[in-house]
Amino acid sequence: MKGNRTINKWIFIMGFLCFQVAWSQTVFGKWKTVDDRNGIAKAIIEIYKEDGLMHAKVVKILEEGKQDALCTKCDGELKDKPVLGMKIMDDFEHNGKGEYKGDRLFDPEQGMTFRGKVWLDEDNENRLKVRGYLAFLHRTQTWHRVIEE
């Protein structure tokens, strides 16, 4: 009987470790954004899958004094809407090479939409590379995985 408990314990431990590895190697989850120009932590973004496509929304604003920010530079239906809860990525598709690409990467601070590409940093899967394209120019930010306890 004691041998069965030991085997069950090892099966549980191995299953838990496999789950942790699989979980940590995905773009899905919560990520902390940091301004690549001044190093200020800006927000927590949740990346999720819906209908087989990747989407993202702002779930927490970290920057001091901006928790109730409105999208003042936005046009149309987003004009003066709260940034908190705002969808910033829509319908990104997996390209089979570990990257997700889409035509709507939205920056509420600038009120601008870019084409985008998202992938895990090959040196550290707890860092996410998020690149926005405007014509032939691009800018890449590194986001940091939020490990919740």
Side-chain angles (χ1 to χ4, degrees), residues 79-108:
K79 179 75 174 160
D80 295 325
K81 296 292 184 202
V83 173
L84 184 64
M86 190 171 282
K87 213 169 184 187
I88 63 166
M89 287 185 216
D90 275 322
D91 299 336
F92 275 49
E93 293 184 74
H94 191 262
N95 68 3
K97 302 176 194 169
E99 300 170 337
Y100 287 82
K101 292 183 176 184
D103 291 331
R104 187 173 182 278
L105 172 59
F106 185 68
D107 179 351

Side-chain angles (χ1 to χ4, degrees), residues 44-78:
I44 302 294
I45 306 298
E46 182 178 8
I47 297 179
Y48 58 97
K49 187 180 265 189
E50 186 176 282
D51 298 325
L53 300 171
M54 188 192 84
H55 303 269
K57 65 183 175 182
V58 179
V59 294
K60 185 174 185 179
I61 297 176
L62 301 173
E63 190 172 3
E64 198 62 41
K66 299 216 175 172
Q67 286 80 5
D68 297 320
L70 301 177
C71 196
T72 57
K73 294 185 179 179
C74 293
D75 292 325
E77 64 186 37
L78 294 178

Side-chain angles (χ1 to χ4, degrees), residues 93-134:
E93 293 184 74
H94 191 262
N95 68 3
K97 302 176 194 169
E99 300 170 337
Y100 287 82
K101 292 183 176 184
D103 291 331
R104 187 173 182 278
L105 172 59
F106 185 68
D107 179 351
E109 276 192 321
Q110 301 302 315
M112 295 179 68
T113 301
F114 304 90
R115 286 181 301 112
K117 179 167 85 168
V118 174
W119 71 97
L120 288 174
D121 185 321
E122 63 186 39
D123 296 325
N124 183 344
E125 74 249 2
N126 289 319
R127 291 189 303 215
L128 186 71
K129 298 295 186 174
V130 179
R131 179 173 291 168
Y133 295 91
L134 188 59

